Every structure is written in C-alpha cells, then in structure tokens.
Amino acid sequence: GVKLMSDTLDTVGGFARTVEDVALLAAVLTGDEGLRLGEGAGIGATDASGARVGLFRGPHWDMVGDDVRALWEGVARHVGREVASPDWFAPLTALQIDVMQHEAARSLAWEHANRSAQLSDRMRALLDTGATIDGGAHRRDIEATQIARRRAEMLFEHHDVLLAPSAAGEAGLWEEGTGDPLFGRAWTLLGLPCLHLPLGVGATGLPIGLQVVGAMGDDARVLRAGDWLQGLLRNRVG
C-alpha cells in the first residue's frame, strides 16, 4: 500500500514512543515474532548488554552541530569505541541521490506529467534531474551499489552494531518539513537496518539523538541493542 518511489531504496519503517513498540510493529508487519521485545518476546529476543558497539562519525562529521557533538562525547564515555570511516563510504551519499532521482523520475512519471502543479518545487526539481540520468549511468550506479553492500559486511567484522549521527542538530519544526536526510542516505543505499534513539535535547529544547545501525538483515539485533543502549544512556547523557 506504499507508493513506490525507488525500488532499490524504499524501506518501510515505524515511529513509536519506545523501542519495544517499534519492535512490536516490526513483528506484526513481518510476522516474525523474533523481533519482539519485552513480555511475550519471541525466541530471538536475547540480552544485548554485551553488544560490541562501534562509534561511527562518518564522512559528514564536520556538519554536526555543537549539541550533537556534546551528546557524542557523552556517549563515548559510556559505550563503544571509535570506528574509522573507510574511503569507499564517502561517495555513497552522492550515489544514493543519483539512484533515488533516476528511479523516482520513473516511478512518479505519471504524476509529473499530469499533476505537476500539485507537486512541490523541490519534488519537481528532483524529478527533472532524475529524468536526465540515462539507463546506462543507472546500471553503473546499481553495480556500484551492489559492490558497496558487499563491502558493508566489513563494518561489522568487529562490531555487532554501530552508533552514528542521525542528523546534524535538533529535530526541525513541523512547518520546515522532514529535515535533511544527509546522515541517512548512505545507510539507505546499503539497505541496512537503522534505529534512531532520542537521547537528549538541544539548545532550544528540541530532541537530538543518534542512530543504531546493524548488518544486512540483522534487524532483531538492532532492536535489542537499541533498547539496551537507550536504557543505558537515557539518564547519563544529553
């Protein structure tokens, strides 16, 4: 029932008050009881307190604001160790944008042609750009995506999950839209499960947090680790 935008990138996720509620939603949507947490949890729900956590700043760290930097430093005092961002990771943001724009231009071609006036200026510009990316370039982009997804396995050779920035600063205001997806683009391209944890507030009282990232298909571990990390860090940082 979700309108397709990019068949390579589209992912269904959830918003909830607690990690346990997100896990319940995931279990209901997939039919996989191993994703549940808490009372009535499935067989896959085991203790995550020994999870090996890597702190992954990523290639866009220079754009992170003071609030998130302070949060990061607080987290680093309690859990995890720093993980260097490999050279192959930096180009993934631009690659994700190209893949998304090309596929969106095709998925939304009817809307663009017949309901263009009802689309936002930003969406029309995205579709216009995507239409200029030819099939040969897209094929090469998909090949590069497949290579990157294989390489991503290396990020978890010595870590069960990574903690990474979710956004540069505080959550945006409703009227400003859904915010800048910069810190999620590479993970989306790689197809990895991510869980945002609100861990504090910024200078104006709006939420800030970090995201837990897991290996391909390791959603259950991400949920368990996220639940443990939020409980560990909620009253110690932020």
Coordinates of all heavy atoms in Angstrom, one line a residue, residues 30-129:
T30 N 5.9 -8.1 9.7 CA 6.7 -9.1 9.1 C 6.2 -10.5 9.4 O 6.5 -11.5 8.7 CB 8.1 -9.0 9.4 OG1 8.3 -9.2 10.9 CG2 8.7 -7.7 9.1
G31 N 5.4 -10.6 10.6 CA 5.1 -11.9 11.0 C 6.2 -12.7 11.8 O 6.1 -13.9 12.1
D32 N 7.3 -12.0 12.0 CA 8.5 -12.5 12.7 C 8.4 -12.2 14.2 O 8.8 -11.1 14.6 CB 9.7 -12.0 12.0 CG 11.0 -12.6 12.6 OD1 10.9 -13.4 13.6 OD2 12.1 -12.2 12.1
E33 N 8.0 -13.2 15.0 CA 7.9 -12.9 16.4 C 9.3 -12.8 17.1 O 9.4 -12.2 18.2 CB 7.2 -14.1 17.1 CG 5.7 -14.1 16.8 CD 5.0 -12.9 17.4 OE1 5.1 -12.7 18.6 OE2 4.3 -12.2 16.6
G34 N 10.3 -13.1 16.4 CA 11.7 -13.0 16.9 C 12.1 -11.5 17.0 O 13.1 -11.2 17.7
L35 N 11.3 -10.6 16.4 CA 11.6 -9.2 16.5 C 11.1 -8.5 17.8 O 11.5 -7.4 18.1 CB 11.1 -8.5 15.3 CG 11.7 -8.8 13.9 CD1 11.0 -8.1 12.8 CD2 13.2 -8.5 13.9
R36 N 10.2 -9.2 18.5 CA 9.5 -8.6 19.6 C 10.4 -8.5 20.8 O 11.4 -9.3 21.0 CB 8.2 -9.3 20.0 CG 7.2 -9.3 19.0 CD 5.9 -10.0 19.4 NE 5.3 -9.3 20.6 CZ 4.2 -9.7 21.2 NH1 3.6 -10.8 20.7 NH2 3.7 -9.1 22.2
L37 N 10.2 -7.5 21.7 CA 10.9 -7.3 22.9 C 10.0 -7.3 24.1 O 8.8 -7.2 23.9 CB 11.7 -5.9 22.9 CG 12.6 -5.7 21.8 CD1 13.1 -4.2 21.8 CD2 13.8 -6.6 21.8
G38 N 10.5 -7.5 25.3 CA 9.7 -7.4 26.5 C 8.8 -8.6 26.7 O 9.1 -9.7 26.2
E39 N 7.7 -8.5 27.4 CA 6.8 -9.5 27.7 C 6.2 -10.1 26.5 O 5.8 -9.4 25.6 CB 5.7 -9.1 28.6 CG 4.8 -10.2 29.1 CD 3.7 -9.6 30.1 OE1 3.8 -8.5 30.5 OE2 2.9 -10.4 30.4
G40 N 6.3 -11.4 26.3 CA 5.8 -12.1 25.1 C 6.8 -12.1 24.0 O 6.4 -12.4 22.9
A41 N 8.0 -11.7 24.3 CA 9.0 -11.6 23.2 C 9.3 -13.0 22.6 O 9.1 -14.0 23.2 CB 10.3 -11.1 23.7
G42 N 9.7 -13.0 21.3 CA 9.9 -14.2 20.6 C 11.3 -14.8 21.0 O 12.0 -14.3 21.8
I43 N 11.6 -16.0 20.4 CA 12.8 -16.7 20.7 C 14.0 -15.9 20.4 O 15.0 -16.0 21.1 CB 12.8 -18.0 19.8 CG1 11.6 -18.9 20.2 CG2 14.1 -18.7 20.0 CD1 11.5 -20.1 19.3
G44 N 14.0 -15.0 19.4 CA 15.2 -14.2 19.1 C 15.5 -13.1 20.1 O 16.5 -12.5 19.9
A45 N 14.7 -12.9 21.1 CA 14.9 -11.7 22.0 C 15.8 -12.2 23.1 O 15.4 -12.8 24.1 CB 13.5 -11.3 22.5
T46 N 17.1 -11.9 22.9 CA 18.1 -12.2 23.9 C 18.7 -11.0 24.4 O 18.6 -9.9 23.9 CB 19.2 -13.2 23.3 OG1 19.8 -12.5 22.2 CG2 18.6 -14.5 22.9
D47 N 19.5 -11.1 25.5 CA 20.1 -9.9 26.2 C 21.1 -9.3 25.2 O 21.9 -10.0 24.6 CB 20.8 -10.4 27.5 CG 21.4 -9.2 28.2 OD1 20.9 -8.1 28.1 OD2 22.4 -9.5 28.9
A48 N 21.1 -8.0 25.2 CA 22.1 -7.3 24.3 C 23.1 -6.5 25.1 O 23.9 -5.7 24.5 CB 21.3 -6.3 23.4
S49 N 23.2 -6.7 26.4 CA 24.1 -5.8 27.2 C 25.5 -6.1 26.9 O 26.4 -5.2 27.3 CB 23.8 -6.1 28.7 OG 24.0 -7.5 29.0
G50 N 25.9 -7.1 26.2 CA 27.3 -7.4 25.8 C 27.6 -7.0 24.4 O 28.6 -7.4 23.8
A51 N 26.7 -6.3 23.8 CA 26.9 -5.9 22.3 C 28.1 -5.1 22.1 O 28.5 -4.2 22.9 CB 25.7 -5.1 21.8
R52 N 28.9 -5.4 21.1 CA 30.1 -4.7 20.7 C 29.6 -3.5 19.9 O 29.1 -3.7 18.7 CB 31.0 -5.6 19.9 CG 31.5 -6.8 20.7 CD 32.3 -7.7 19.8 NE 31.4 -8.2 18.7 CZ 31.9 -8.8 17.6 NH1 33.2 -9.0 17.5 NH2 31.0 -9.2 16.6
V53 N 29.8 -2.3 20.4 CA 29.3 -1.1 19.7 C 30.5 -0.3 19.2 O 31.4 0.0 19.9 CB 28.5 -0.2 20.8 CG1 28.0 1.1 20.1 CG2 27.4 -1.0 21.4
G54 N 30.3 0.1 17.9 CA 31.3 1.0 17.3 C 30.8 2.4 17.1 O 29.6 2.5 16.7
L55 N 31.5 3.4 17.4 CA 31.1 4.8 17.2 C 31.6 5.3 15.9 O 32.8 5.4 15.7 CB 31.7 5.6 18.3 CG 31.3 5.2 19.8 CD1 32.0 6.0 20.8 CD2 29.8 5.3 19.9
F56 N 30.7 5.5 14.9 CA 31.0 5.7 13.5 C 30.6 7.2 13.2 O 29.4 7.5 13.0 CB 30.2 4.7 12.6 CG 30.6 4.8 11.2 CD1 31.7 4.0 10.7 CD2 29.9 5.6 10.3 CE1 32.0 4.0 9.4 CE2 30.3 5.6 9.0 CZ 31.3 4.8 8.5
R57 N 31.5 8.1 13.2 CA 31.2 9.5 12.9 C 30.8 9.7 11.5 O 29.9 10.5 11.2 CB 32.5 10.4 13.2 CG 32.9 10.4 14.7 CD 34.2 11.2 14.8 NE 34.7 11.1 16.2 CZ 34.7 12.1 17.0 NH1 34.3 13.3 16.6 NH2 35.2 12.0 18.2
G58 N 31.5 9.0 10.5 CA 31.1 9.1 9.1 C 31.8 10.3 8.5 O 32.4 11.1 9.1
P59 N 31.6 10.4 7.2 CA 32.3 11.4 6.4 C 31.7 12.8 6.5 O 32.3 13.8 6.0 CB 32.2 10.9 4.9 CG 30.9 10.1 4.9 CD 30.8 9.5 6.3
H60 N 30.5 13.0 7.1 CA 29.9 14.3 7.2 C 30.0 14.9 8.6 O 29.2 15.8 9.0 CB 28.5 14.2 6.8 CG 28.3 13.6 5.4 ND1 28.8 14.2 4.3 CD2 27.7 12.5 5.0 CE1 28.5 13.5 3.2 NE2 27.8 12.4 3.6
W61 N 30.9 14.5 9.4 CA 31.0 14.9 10.8 C 31.2 16.4 10.9 O 30.8 17.0 11.9 CB 32.1 14.1 11.5 CG 32.3 14.5 12.9 CD1 33.3 15.3 13.5 CD2 31.4 14.1 14.0 NE1 33.1 15.4 14.9 CE2 31.9 14.7 15.2 CE3 30.3 13.4 14.1 CZ2 31.3 14.5 16.4 CZ3 29.6 13.2 15.3 CH2 30.2 13.8 16.5
D62 N 31.9 17.0 9.9 CA 32.2 18.4 10.0 C 30.9 19.3 10.0 O 30.9 20.5 10.3 CB 33.1 18.9 8.9 CG 32.5 18.6 7.5 OD1 31.7 17.7 7.4 OD2 32.9 19.3 6.6
M63 N 29.7 18.7 9.6 CA 28.5 19.4 9.6 C 27.7 19.2 10.8 O 26.6 19.9 11.0 CB 27.7 18.9 8.4 CG 28.3 19.1 7.0 SD 27.3 18.6 5.6 CE 26.0 19.9 5.7
V64 N 28.2 18.4 11.8 CA 27.4 18.2 13.0 C 27.5 19.4 13.9 O 28.6 20.0 14.1 CB 28.0 16.9 13.7 CG1 27.5 16.8 15.1 CG2 27.6 15.7 12.9
G65 N 26.4 19.8 14.6 CA 26.4 21.0 15.4 C 26.9 20.7 16.8 O 27.1 19.5 17.2
D66 N 27.0 21.7 17.6 CA 27.6 21.6 19.0 C 26.8 20.7 19.9 O 27.3 19.9 20.7 CB 27.7 23.0 19.6 CG 28.8 23.9 18.9 OD1 29.6 23.3 18.2 OD2 28.7 25.1 19.1
D67 N 25.5 20.7 19.8 CA 24.6 19.9 20.6 C 24.9 18.4 20.4 O 25.0 17.6 21.3 CB 23.1 20.2 20.3 CG 22.7 21.5 20.8 OD1 23.4 22.1 21.7 OD2 21.7 22.1 20.3
V68 N 25.0 18.0 19.1 CA 25.2 16.6 18.8 C 26.6 16.2 19.2 O 26.9 15.1 19.6 CB 24.9 16.3 17.3 CG1 25.2 14.9 17.0 CG2 23.4 16.6 17.0
R69 N 27.6 17.1 19.0 CA 29.0 16.8 19.4 C 29.1 16.5 20.9 O 29.7 15.6 21.3 CB 29.9 18.0 19.0 CG 30.1 18.1 17.5 CD 31.0 19.3 17.1 NE 31.1 19.5 15.7 CZ 32.1 18.9 15.0 NH1 33.0 18.2 15.6 NH2 32.1 19.1 13.7
A70 N 28.4 17.4 21.6 CA 28.4 17.2 23.1 C 27.7 15.8 23.5 O 28.2 15.1 24.4 CB 27.7 18.3 23.8
L71 N 26.6 15.5 22.8 CA 26.0 14.2 23.0 C 26.9 13.1 22.7 O 27.0 12.1 23.5 CB 24.7 14.1 22.2 CG 24.0 12.8 22.2 CD1 23.4 12.5 23.6 CD2 22.8 12.8 21.2
W72 N 27.6 13.2 21.6 CA 28.5 12.1 21.1 C 29.6 11.9 22.2 O 29.9 10.8 22.5 CB 29.1 12.6 19.8 CG 30.0 11.5 19.2 CD1 31.3 11.3 19.4 CD2 29.6 10.5 18.3 NE1 31.8 10.3 18.6 CE2 30.7 9.8 17.9 CE3 28.4 10.1 17.7 CZ2 30.7 8.7 17.0 CZ3 28.3 9.1 16.8 CH2 29.5 8.4 16.5
E73 N 30.2 13.0 22.7 CA 31.2 12.9 23.7 C 30.7 12.2 24.9 O 31.4 11.4 25.6 CB 31.8 14.3 24.0 CG 32.6 14.9 22.8 CD 32.9 16.3 23.0 OE1 32.6 16.9 24.1 OE2 33.5 16.9 22.1
G74 N 29.5 12.5 25.3 CA 28.9 11.9 26.5 C 28.7 10.4 26.3 O 28.9 9.6 27.2
V75 N 28.2 10.0 25.1 CA 28.0 8.6 24.8 C 29.3 7.9 24.8 O 29.4 6.8 25.4 CB 27.3 8.5 23.5 CG1 27.4 7.0 23.0 CG2 25.8 8.9 23.5
A76 N 30.4 8.5 24.2 CA 31.7 7.8 24.1 C 32.3 7.5 25.5 O 33.1 6.6 25.6 CB 32.6 8.7 23.3
R77 N 31.9 8.3 26.5 CA 32.4 8.0 27.9 C 31.8 6.7 28.4 O 32.3 6.2 29.4 CB 32.1 9.2 28.8 CG 33.0 10.4 28.5 CD 32.9 11.4 29.6 NE 31.6 12.0 29.7 CZ 31.2 13.1 29.2 NH1 32.1 13.8 28.4 NH2 30.0 13.6 29.3
H78 N 30.7 6.2 27.9 CA 30.0 5.1 28.5 C 30.0 3.8 27.6 O 29.8 2.7 28.2 CB 28.5 5.5 28.8 CG 28.4 6.6 29.7 ND1 28.6 6.4 31.1 CD2 28.1 7.9 29.6 CE1 28.4 7.6 31.7 NE2 28.1 8.5 30.8
V79 N 30.1 4.0 26.3 CA 30.0 2.8 25.5 C 30.7 3.0 24.2 O 30.9 4.1 23.7 CB 28.5 2.6 25.2 CG1 27.9 3.7 24.3 CG2 28.2 1.2 24.5
G80 N 31.2 1.8 23.7 CA 31.8 1.8 22.3 C 33.2 2.3 22.2 O 33.8 2.9 23.1
R81 N 33.7 2.2 20.9 CA 34.9 2.8 20.6 C 34.8 3.3 19.1 O 34.0 2.8 18.3 CB 36.1 1.7 20.7 CG 36.0 0.5 19.8 CD 37.1 -0.4 20.1 NE 37.1 -1.6 19.2 CZ 37.8 -1.7 18.0 NH1 38.4 -0.6 17.6 NH2 37.7 -2.8 17.3
E82 N 35.7 4.2 18.8 CA 35.6 4.9 17.5 C 36.0 3.9 16.4 O 36.9 3.1 16.5 CB 36.6 6.1 17.5 CG 36.2 7.2 18.4 CD 35.1 8.1 17.9 OE1 34.8 8.0 16.7 OE2 34.5 8.9 18.7
V83 N 35.2 4.1 15.3 CA 35.5 3.3 14.1 C 35.8 4.2 12.9 O 35.0 5.1 12.7 CB 34.3 2.4 13.7 CG1 34.5 1.6 12.5 CG2 33.9 1.5 14.9
A84 N 36.9 4.1 12.3 CA 37.2 4.9 11.1 C 36.3 4.7 10.0 O 35.9 3.6 9.7 CB 38.7 4.7 10.7
S85 N 35.9 5.8 9.3 CA 35.1 5.6 8.1 C 36.0 5.3 6.9 O 36.9 6.0 6.6 CB 34.4 7.0 7.8 OG 33.6 6.9 6.6
P86 N 35.7 4.2 6.2 CA 36.6 3.8 5.1 C 36.4 4.7 3.9 O 35.4 5.3 3.7 CB 36.1 2.3 4.8 CG 34.7 2.3 5.3 CD 34.7 3.2 6.5
D87 N 37.4 4.7 3.0 CA 37.4 5.6 1.9 C 36.2 5.3 1.0 O 35.7 6.3 0.4 CB 38.7 5.5 1.1 CG 39.9 6.0 1.8 OD1 39.7 6.8 2.8 OD2 41.1 5.6 1.5
W88 N 35.8 4.1 0.8 CA 34.7 3.8 -0.1 C 33.4 4.3 0.4 O 32.4 4.3 -0.4 CB 34.6 2.3 -0.3 CG 34.5 1.4 0.9 CD1 35.4 0.8 1.6 CD2 33.2 1.1 1.5 NE1 34.9 0.1 2.7 CE2 33.5 0.3 2.7 CE3 31.9 1.4 1.3 CZ2 32.5 -0.2 3.5 CZ3 30.9 0.9 2.1 CH2 31.2 0.1 3.2
F89 N 33.3 4.7 1.7 CA 32.0 5.1 2.2 C 31.6 6.5 1.8 O 30.4 6.8 1.6 CB 32.1 5.0 3.8 CG 30.7 5.1 4.4 CD1 30.0 3.9 4.7 CD2 30.2 6.3 4.8 CE1 28.8 4.0 5.4 CE2 29.0 6.3 5.5 CZ 28.2 5.2 5.7
A90 N 32.6 7.4 1.7 CA 32.3 8.8 1.4 C 31.4 9.0 0.1 O 30.5 9.9 0.2 CB 33.6 9.6 1.3
P91 N 31.7 8.3 -1.0 CA 30.9 8.6 -2.2 C 29.5 8.1 -2.2 O 28.7 8.3 -3.1 CB 31.7 7.9 -3.3 CG 33.0 7.6 -2.7 CD 32.8 7.4 -1.3
L92 N 29.1 7.4 -1.1 CA 27.8 6.7 -1.1 C 26.6 7.7 -1.0 O 25.5 7.4 -1.5 CB 27.7 5.7 0.1 CG 28.7 4.6 0.1 CD1 28.3 3.6 1.2 CD2 28.7 3.9 -1.3
T93 N 26.8 8.9 -0.4 CA 25.7 9.9 -0.3 C 25.3 10.3 -1.7 O 24.2 10.3 -2.1 CB 26.2 11.1 0.5 OG1 26.4 10.6 1.9 CG2 25.1 12.1 0.5
A94 N 26.3 10.7 -2.5 CA 26.0 11.1 -3.9 C 25.4 10.0 -4.7 O 24.5 10.2 -5.6 CB 27.3 11.7 -4.6
L95 N 25.9 8.8 -4.5 CA 25.4 7.6 -5.3 C 23.9 7.4 -4.9 O 23.1 7.1 -5.8 CB 26.3 6.4 -4.9 CG 25.9 5.1 -5.6 CD1 25.9 5.2 -7.1 CD2 26.8 4.0 -5.1
Q96 N 23.6 7.5 -3.6 CA 22.2 7.3 -3.2 C 21.3 8.3 -3.9 O 20.2 8.0 -4.3 CB 22.1 7.4 -1.7 CG 20.7 7.0 -1.1 CD 19.8 8.2 -1.0 OE1 20.2 9.4 -1.1 NE2 18.5 7.9 -0.9
I97 N 21.7 9.6 -4.0 CA 20.9 10.6 -4.6 C 20.7 10.3 -6.1 O 19.6 10.5 -6.5 CB 21.6 12.0 -4.4 CG1 21.6 12.4 -2.9 CG2 21.0 13.1 -5.3 CD1 22.5 13.6 -2.6
D98 N 21.7 9.9 -6.8 CA 21.5 9.6 -8.2 C 20.6 8.4 -8.4 O 19.7 8.4 -9.3 CB 22.9 9.2 -8.8 CG 23.7 10.5 -9.1 OD1 23.2 11.6 -9.0 OD2 24.9 10.3 -9.4
V99 N 20.7 7.3 -7.6 CA 19.9 6.2 -7.7 C 18.4 6.6 -7.4 O 17.5 6.2 -8.2 CB 20.3 5.0 -6.8 CG1 19.2 3.9 -6.7 CG2 21.6 4.5 -7.2
M100 N 18.2 7.3 -6.4 CA 16.9 7.8 -6.0 C 16.2 8.6 -7.0 O 15.1 8.5 -7.4 CB 17.0 8.5 -4.6 CG 15.6 8.9 -4.0 SD 15.3 10.6 -4.5 CE 16.6 11.5 -3.6
Q101 N 17.0 9.6 -7.5 CA 16.4 10.5 -8.5 C 16.0 9.8 -9.8 O 14.9 10.1 -10.4 CB 17.4 11.7 -8.8 CG 17.6 12.6 -7.6 CD 18.5 13.8 -7.9 OE1 18.4 14.9 -7.5 NE2 19.6 13.5 -8.7
H102 N 16.9 8.9 -10.3 CA 16.5 8.2 -11.5 C 15.3 7.4 -11.4 O 14.4 7.4 -12.2 CB 17.7 7.3 -11.9 CG 17.5 6.4 -13.1 ND1 17.7 6.8 -14.4 CD2 16.9 5.2 -13.1 CE1 17.3 5.8 -15.2 NE2 16.9 4.8 -14.5
E103 N 15.2 6.6 -10.3 CA 14.1 5.7 -10.1 C 12.8 6.5 -9.7 O 11.7 6.1 -10.1 CB 14.4 4.7 -9.0 CG 15.6 3.8 -9.4 CD 15.9 2.6 -8.5 OE1 15.3 2.6 -7.4 OE2 16.7 1.8 -8.8
A104 N 12.9 7.6 -9.0 CA 11.8 8.4 -8.7 C 11.2 9.0 -9.9 O 9.9 9.1 -10.1 CB 12.1 9.5 -7.7
A105 N 12.0 9.4 -10.9 CA 11.6 10.1 -12.1 C 10.7 9.1 -12.9 O 9.8 9.5 -13.6 CB 12.7 10.5 -12.9
R106 N 11.0 7.8 -12.8 CA 10.2 6.8 -13.5 C 9.0 6.4 -12.7 O 7.9 6.2 -13.2 CB 11.1 5.6 -13.8 CG 11.9 5.9 -15.1 CD 13.3 5.3 -15.1 NE 14.0 5.7 -16.2 CZ 14.6 7.0 -16.4 NH1 14.5 7.8 -15.4 NH2 15.2 7.3 -17.5
S107 N 9.1 6.2 -11.4 CA 8.0 5.8 -10.6 C 6.9 6.9 -10.5 O 5.7 6.6 -10.4 CB 8.5 5.5 -9.1 OG 9.4 4.4 -9.1
L108 N 7.3 8.2 -10.6 CA 6.4 9.3 -10.5 C 6.2 10.0 -11.8 O 5.8 11.1 -11.9 CB 6.8 10.3 -9.4 CG 7.0 9.7 -8.0 CD1 7.5 10.7 -7.0 CD2 5.7 9.1 -7.5
A109 N 6.5 9.3 -12.9 CA 6.4 9.9 -14.2 C 4.9 10.4 -14.5 O 4.8 11.5 -15.1 CB 6.8 8.9 -15.3
W110 N 3.9 9.6 -14.2 CA 2.6 10.0 -14.4 C 2.2 11.2 -13.6 O 1.6 12.2 -14.2 CB 1.6 8.9 -14.1 CG 0.2 9.2 -14.5 CD1 -0.4 8.9 -15.7 CD2 -0.8 9.9 -13.7 NE1 -1.7 9.3 -15.7 CE2 -2.0 10.0 -14.5 CE3 -0.8 10.4 -12.4 CZ2 -3.1 10.6 -14.0 CZ3 -1.9 11.1 -11.9 CH2 -3.1 11.1 -12.7
E111 N 2.6 11.2 -12.3 CA 2.3 12.4 -11.5 C 3.0 13.7 -12.0 O 2.4 14.8 -12.0 CB 2.7 12.1 -10.1 CG 1.8 11.1 -9.3 CD 2.2 9.7 -9.6 OE1 3.1 9.4 -10.5 OE2 1.5 8.8 -9.0
H112 N 4.2 13.5 -12.5 CA 5.0 14.6 -13.0 C 4.3 15.2 -14.3 O 4.3 16.4 -14.5 CB 6.4 14.2 -13.3 CG 7.4 15.3 -13.5 ND1 8.6 15.1 -14.1 CD2 7.3 16.6 -13.1 CE1 9.2 16.3 -14.1 NE2 8.5 17.2 -13.5
A113 N 3.9 14.3 -15.1 CA 3.3 14.7 -16.4 C 1.9 15.2 -16.3 O 1.5 16.1 -17.0 CB 3.3 13.5 -17.4
N114 N 1.1 14.7 -15.3 CA -0.3 15.0 -15.2 C -0.7 15.8 -14.0 O -1.8 16.4 -14.0 CB -1.1 13.7 -15.3 CG -1.0 13.0 -16.5 OD1 -1.6 13.3 -17.6 ND2 -0.1 11.9 -16.5
R115 N 0.1 15.9 -13.0 CA -0.3 16.6 -11.8 C 0.9 17.5 -11.3 O 1.1 17.7 -10.1 CB -0.7 15.6 -10.7 CG -1.9 14.8 -11.0 CD -3.2 15.7 -11.0 NE -4.4 14.9 -11.1 CZ -5.0 14.5 -12.2 NH1 -4.4 14.9 -13.4 NH2 -6.0 13.8 -12.3
S116 N 1.7 18.0 -12.2 CA 2.9 18.7 -11.8 C 2.7 19.9 -10.9 O 3.4 20.1 -10.0 CB 3.7 19.1 -13.1 OG 4.9 19.8 -12.8
A117 N 1.6 20.6 -11.1 CA 1.3 21.8 -10.3 C 1.0 21.4 -8.9 O 1.1 22.3 -8.0 CB 0.1 22.5 -10.9
Q118 N 0.6 20.2 -8.6 CA 0.3 19.7 -7.2 C 1.6 19.2 -6.5 O 1.5 18.9 -5.3 CB -0.8 18.7 -7.2 CG -2.1 19.2 -7.7 CD -3.1 18.1 -7.9 OE1 -3.5 17.7 -9.0 NE2 -3.6 17.6 -6.8
L119 N 2.7 19.1 -7.2 CA 4.0 18.7 -6.6 C 4.7 19.9 -6.1 O 4.6 21.0 -6.6 CB 4.8 18.0 -7.6 CG 4.2 16.7 -8.3 CD1 5.2 16.2 -9.3 CD2 3.9 15.7 -7.2
S120 N 5.5 19.7 -5.1 CA 6.3 20.8 -4.6 C 7.4 21.2 -5.5 O 7.8 20.4 -6.4 CB 7.0 20.4 -3.2 OG 7.9 19.4 -3.4
D121 N 8.0 22.4 -5.4 CA 9.1 22.8 -6.3 C 10.3 21.9 -6.1 O 10.9 21.5 -7.1 CB 9.5 24.2 -5.9 CG 8.5 25.3 -6.2 OD1 7.6 25.0 -7.1 OD2 8.5 26.4 -5.7
R122 N 10.5 21.5 -4.9 CA 11.6 20.5 -4.6 C 11.4 19.2 -5.3 O 12.4 18.6 -5.9 CB 11.8 20.4 -3.1 CG 12.9 19.5 -2.7 CD 13.0 19.4 -1.2 NE 14.1 18.5 -0.8 CZ 14.4 18.2 0.5 NH1 13.6 18.8 1.5 NH2 15.4 17.4 0.8
M123 N 10.2 18.7 -5.3 CA 9.9 17.4 -5.9 C 10.0 17.5 -7.4 O 10.6 16.6 -8.1 CB 8.6 16.9 -5.5 CG 8.2 15.6 -6.2 SD 9.3 14.2 -5.8 CE 8.8 13.8 -4.1
R124 N 9.5 18.6 -8.0 CA 9.6 18.8 -9.5 C 11.1 18.8 -9.9 O 11.5 18.2 -10.9 CB 8.9 20.0 -9.9 CG 7.4 19.9 -10.0 CD 6.7 21.0 -10.7 NE 7.0 22.3 -10.1 CZ 6.2 22.8 -9.2 NH1 5.1 22.1 -8.8 NH2 6.4 24.0 -8.6
A125 N 11.9 19.5 -9.1 CA 13.3 19.6 -9.5 C 14.0 18.3 -9.4 O 14.8 17.9 -10.2 CB 14.0 20.6 -8.5
L126 N 13.6 17.5 -8.4 CA 14.2 16.2 -8.2 C 13.9 15.3 -9.4 O 14.7 14.6 -10.0 CB 13.7 15.5 -6.9 CG 14.2 14.2 -6.5 CD1 14.1 14.0 -5.0 CD2 13.5 13.0 -7.2
L127 N 12.6 15.3 -9.8 CA 12.2 14.5 -11.0 C 12.8 15.0 -12.3 O 13.1 14.2 -13.1 CB 10.6 14.5 -11.0 CG 9.9 14.0 -9.8 CD1 8.4 14.0 -10.0 CD2 10.3 12.5 -9.5
D128 N 12.9 16.3 -12.4 CA 13.6 16.8 -13.6 C 15.0 16.3 -13.7 O 15.5 15.9 -14.8 CB 13.5 18.3 -13.6 CG 12.2 18.9 -13.9 OD1 11.3 18.2 -14.5 OD2 11.9 20.1 -13.5
T129 N 15.7 16.4 -12.6 CA 17.1 15.9 -12.6 C 17.2 14.4 -12.8 O 18.0 13.9 -13.6 CB 17.8 16.2 -11.2 OG1 17.7 17.6 -11.0 CG2 19.2 15.8 -11.2

